[in-house]
């Protein structure tokens, strides 16, 4: 997968990653997708659905969609529990606590803006947490895609 995810609204300065392996892992996640996302993609693929990953909408907001179905305009995001502040698994780091809180709040606000902008350009947005059961998420996605295809066909 070429092209790095442009997290342009990440305006906060980043403290140095705690280790080389952490920074490598984070870079890989940006380009290839997280493990929960990969699991979901495998299931979608198994259901015969074809999608684009890390997709930039042509006439939409500046963002990268984790898993996109451009024709029926269904956008899927698989949010990491930590980065996006999942209510069940939010674990606020103790060192640099203020920075992390600001960072995560910032991410959540960006998520909201992206979602609104995509919806304004006619996308259906599905947000999943990385802790969500991938089979259930896949079923939801498939319903949305099929529903959109039917509407488009009519
Ligand atoms: Zn979670």
């Amino acid at each position: 997968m070429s092209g790095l995810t442009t997290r342009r609204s990440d305006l906060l300065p980043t403290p140095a990653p705690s280790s080389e392996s952490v920074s490598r892992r984070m870079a890989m996640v940006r380009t290839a997708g997280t493990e929960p996302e990969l699991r979901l993609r495998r299931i979608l693929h198994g259901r015969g659905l074809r999608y684009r990953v890390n997709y930039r909408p042509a006439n939409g907001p500046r963002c990268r969609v984790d898993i996109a179905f451009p024709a029926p305009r269904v956008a899927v995001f698989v949010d990491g529990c930590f980065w996006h502040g999942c209510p069940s698994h939010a674990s606020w780091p103790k060192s640099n606590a203020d920075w992390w809180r600001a960072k995560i709040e910032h991410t959540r606000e960006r998520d909201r803006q992206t979602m609104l902008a995509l919806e304004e350009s006619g996308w259906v947005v599905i947000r999943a947490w990385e802790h969500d059961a991938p089979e259930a998420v896949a079923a939801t996605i498939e319903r949305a895609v099929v529903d959109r295809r039917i509407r488009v066909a009519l």
Side-chain angles (χ1 to χ4, degrees), residues 81 86 89 131:
C81 292
C86 156
H89 304 109
H131 69 245

Side-chain angles (χ1 to χ4, degrees), residues 91-109:
S91 56
W92 303 97
K94 290 195 173 58
S95 64
N96 297 318
D98 290 346
W99 185 86
W100 281 111
R101 185 165 285 277
K103 171 99 179 159
I104 292 167
E105 291 299 336
H106 183 79
T107 300
R108 292 169 64 86
E109 179 55 27

Side-chain angles (χ1 to χ4, degrees), residues 20-49:
E20 187 58 29
S21 79
V22 167
S23 80
R24 239 197 332 269
R25 206 175 61 218
M26 286 169 63
M28 278 189 42
V29 161
R30 267 192 293 277
T31 51
T34 59
E35 191 47 44
E37 182 188 330
L38 296 179
R39 268 200 303 275
L40 176 59
R41 274 156 49 182
R42 275 194 292 275
I43 296 169
L44 291 170
H45 200 267
R47 286 174 175 247
L49 294 169

Side-chain angles (χ1 to χ4, degrees), residues 79-82 85-90 129-132:
D79 292 340
C81 292
F82 174 74
C86 156
S88 317
H89 304 109
W129 289 109
E130 67 178 350
H131 69 245
D132 286 329

